[in-house]
Amino acid sequence: MTGPDAAARRYRVEHRTRYTYSGEVTSSYGRAYLTPREFPGQRLIAHDIRIDPAPSDRSVGADVYGNSTSYFHVTTEHRALTVVGESLVEVDAPGHPRARSADQPWEEARPTGANGPFAVEFALDLHPPEITPDLAAYTAESFPPGRPLLDAVDELNTRIYTDFAYRSGATTVSTRVADVFAARAGVCQDFARLAVACLRSHGLAARYVSGYLATDPPPGKERMVGADATHAWAAVWTPGVDEHDRAGHWIDLDPTNDQFADERYITAAWGRDYADVPPLRGIIYTDAKDSVITVSVDVTETGD
């Protein structure tokens, strides 16, 4: 973990989720990805998850990608369940966009067992497959042979932003990428998944990133889509430039806002797809016929 950068910003994050049910729930199991990650450029200063009713059992662990996951089991009968994640996070300004390896032809950024063994799985399609011929052809417009990786990624980011409409309610968490591509509409999670599939269609390693955006923009910058809610974006891998840099680098891109991620982006978790890192998932035991979920996110910059 590196020390704080002079341009670092510190944020308080509150992520509140409330479930209400039309009948009694006798047992509720939950898994949460609400703990922001720690890595060079982001430091978790403090974190807590509050659950009401209080769980009879809870634990914290790490998944295969190193994300922190919280498990809980509520056995008190209830008609409402509230889960609140509170975090204090410090984020540095990113070191890219022009990492040396990002200037190489995009074909040379494809991971192999030699240059990026831990990135190879992020170049593979999902099951069932998300990559289609139409998606690959769409991507190819930005990836002519020999073009520098970052230039190609930048153009793809802009094209998704331009060609697809942000429309709440147009999709669900189970909507396929092909359906988003056909409808030309969705929300940030859809555009992140679309970008990931596009990059993988050309053999590049890409991951899905979940997190938050600062609610109030810095002076001179516009408020971005995705503030006041959970946000999602994509990241593309580029290999290291020497033997001391074997892990390579991940460059985060946000097609919802047509930019590369900066110090306003707070990373909670990453995986191959949304299904790997949903903010909350669980199982309940109830005869209730109806349920309602409300989610609110507040991210504020602080000098604390």
Side-chain angles (χ1 to χ4, degrees):
M1 199 165 55
T2 60
D5 185 271
R9 295 180 181 273
R10 184 172 287 195
Y11 300 102
R12 290 191 180 279
V13 181
E14 182 183 272
H15 183 163
R16 178 181 297 271
T17 306
R18 182 172 175 83
Y19 301 89
T20 55
Y21 308 99
S22 60
E24 294 289 342
V25 173
T26 57
S27 185
S28 177
Y29 294 87
R31 182 183 187 186
Y33 284 90
L34 298 176
T35 307
R37 292 190 65 121
E38 284 200 279
F39 54 89
Q42 180 170 296
R43 293 166 294 282
L44 182 61
I45 310 301
H47 177 71
D48 186 34
I49 295 179
R50 304 195 314 272
I51 302 167
D52 182 29
S56 58
D57 184 35
R58 64 187 299 176
S59 64
V60 177
D63 70 4
V64 67
Y65 301 117
N67 302 302
S68 178
T69 63
S70 300
Y71 303 86
F72 61 87
H73 181 199
V74 176
T75 54
T76 303
E77 287 193 356
H78 55 280
R79 289 198 175 210
L81 174 69
T82 302
V83 181
V84 182
E86 293 183 322
S87 306
L88 182 62
V89 188
E90 197 168 63
V91 184
D92 296 339
H96 61 77
R98 291 233 78 101
R100 282 182 291 167
S101 56
D103 282 322
Q104 67 185 351
W106 66 264
E107 297 93 335
E108 296 179 17
R110 291 168 170 159
T112 67
N115 73 355
F118 297 107
V120 169
E121 71 166 302
F122 289 93
L124 303 176
D125 198 0
L126 301 176
H127 181 76
E130 294 282 19
I131 297 171
T132 64
D134 287 345
L135 192 76
Y138 178 82
T139 307
E141 295 180 31
S142 297
F143 285 79
R147 189 176 193 183
L149 173 67
L150 200 66
D151 291 345
V153 170
D154 192 12
E155 181 179 292
L156 176 66
N157 206 36
T158 298
R159 288 176 56 222
I160 293 174
Y161 171 80
T162 303
D163 295 344
F164 292 77
Y166 187 96
R167 189 178 303 151
S168 297
T171 58
T172 69
V173 295
S174 60
T175 300
R176 301 291 307 280
V177 167
D179 295 328
V180 175
F181 186 75
R184 290 294 200 271
V187 294
C188 58
Q189 287 82 2
D190 300 306
F191 303 153
R193 298 182 67 240
L194 174 65
V196 166
C198 286
L199 293 165
R200 288 176 182 162
S201 76
H202 277 53
L204 297 168
R207 66 189 182 194
Y208 177 95
V209 187
S210 69
Y212 310 100
L213 269 176
T215 303
D216 297 318
K221 293 193 176 183
E222 294 183 1
R223 184 180 182 85
M224 292 187 292
V225 176
D228 295 328
T230 55
H231 195 50
W233 57 96
V236 62
W237 180 83
T238 179
V241 294
D242 54 45
E243 61 181 16
H244 303 294
D245 192 22
R246 292 181 178 178
H249 305 275
W250 290 90
I251 299 174
D252 294 63
L253 57 138
D254 180 6
T256 302
N257 289 291
D258 188 20
Q259 68 168 47
F260 292 100
D262 57 22
E263 65 274 16
R264 290 172 288 175
Y265 289 72
I266 300 160
T267 299
W270 58 60
R272 297 191 65 233
D273 189 44
Y274 169 86
D276 291 333
V277 290
L280 276 169
R281 65 153 58 105
I283 298 173
I284 62 171
Y285 293 88
T286 181
D287 291 326
K289 303 299 182 185
D290 301 299
S291 64
V292 176
I293 178 175
T294 56
V295 180
S296 64
V297 173
D298 188 35
V299 182
T300 53
E301 188 171 358
T302 176
D304 296 347

